[in-house]
Amino acid sequence: MASRFYNWLRSPAARQYFFSTHFWGPVANWGLPLAAIADLRKDEEVISGAMTTALAAYSLVFMRFAWRVIPRNYLLFACHATNATAQLVQEGRFVNYWYMGGKEKKEAAKKGPVTEAIEAAREEAKKVAAAK
Amino acid sequence: MSGAASAAAGSKFQAFMNHPAGPKTVFFWAPMMKWCLVAAGLKDLSRPAEKLSVSQNVALAATGFIWVRYSLVITPVNYSLAAVNFFVGSTGLGQLARIWHYQRTKQDPILDLINSRKAEKAAAAAKA
């Protein structure tokens, strides 16, 4: 099976595919899911509720577009499937933060500046003791 | 209208509605749907610059402008898709410019403009 794939890779059909818009268009679109995945670990304040909803809906529609276009475009389908998932997860984080008490929980868990200073001093003391 | 003319008008509409890339198919609605990204981008002009995501706007600008080119070289040429992607790319680029300007000068003239317009409207509504 692997050798069949490599045989296809060396064929002129494959060269034509990799130089066509059927390949590079979806490649350009992968920026969106990759940006969403990078943003998953960032603070919820940078999430735009409107844009995330729009992107999720747009990817769901384009999943169908990629499936029904002729020729069927699996790469574009995969790109939009990933993006739809990532955007919906972001949307979940957004809703949880602003509407379901996530923001309050986060602020309660944050330590005040005095506690942070005390803990930093303790860490330094530990380091000095260990170095001796 | 004569019978023939109204019949022709009727069938033109029918021809449009039943086109393989017409309003009954995803090939028509998918580019239409993408205008929501432009609308969301314009709505985001009213968000403060420090709350914008650089990576998302870079991705939108890049994909927008690349797809403008590809919409014009595919068969058949899709001007609707090219137009919407141009606007998606432009709003992404505009937001990036805002973020860059804000990082350098800590000022956000676009947000100030929008907020001053809102304040004017609120004052006018309160007076009325």
Side-chain angles (χ1 to χ4, degrees), chain A residues 60-125:
Chain A
L60 288 169
V61 174
F62 268 84
M63 276 168 69
R64 176 163 170 81
F65 177 93
W67 192 255
R68 296 285 258 114
V69 79
I70 296 165
R72 185 166 285 174
N73 199 325
Y74 295 104
L75 187 59
L76 190 67
F77 181 80
C79 165
H80 283 298
T82 319
N83 194 38
T85 315
Q87 298 297 340
L88 287 171
V89 171
Q90 279 288 66
E91 187 70 36
R93 286 179 73 217
F94 177 83
V95 167
N96 179 54
Y97 187 78
W98 292 106
Y99 297 100
M100 290 172 63
K103 182 174 192 200
E104 286 73 23
K105 270 198 209 134
K106 218 179 181 185
E107 282 173 0
K110 224 195 294 181
K111 301 173 198 150
V114 178
T115 323
E116 284 209 25
I118 295 176
E119 287 190 356
R122 282 207 188 118
E123 286 294 313
E124 284 301 310

Side-chain angles (χ1 to χ4, degrees), chain B residues 9-75:
Chain B
S11 68
K12 254 195 182 169
F13 179 68
Q14 298 275 21
F16 168 66
M17 289 297 284
N18 295 319
H19 193 277
K24 291 184 186 172
T25 70
V26 70
F27 305 113
F28 179 83
W29 290 110
M32 291 291 133
M33 236 271 144
K34 212 162 178 182
W35 283 102
C36 289
L37 296 189
V38 180
L42 290 172
K43 182 180 182 294
D44 272 356
L45 284 176
S46 59
R47 292 189 83 218
E50 66 260 21
K51 297 269 178 78
L52 296 172
S53 162
V54 173
S55 51
Q56 188 176 77
N57 284 302
V58 165
L60 285 168
T63 186
F65 288 125
I66 293 176
W67 274 82
V68 169
R69 187 197 175 248
Y70 284 126
S71 310
L72 299 175
V73 299
I74 53 175
T75 313

Side-chain angles (χ1 to χ4, degrees), chain B residues 10 14 23 95 102-103 120 125 128:
Chain B
Q14 298 275 21
Q95 291 287 55
Y102 181 79
Q103 304 281 15
E120 275 173 21

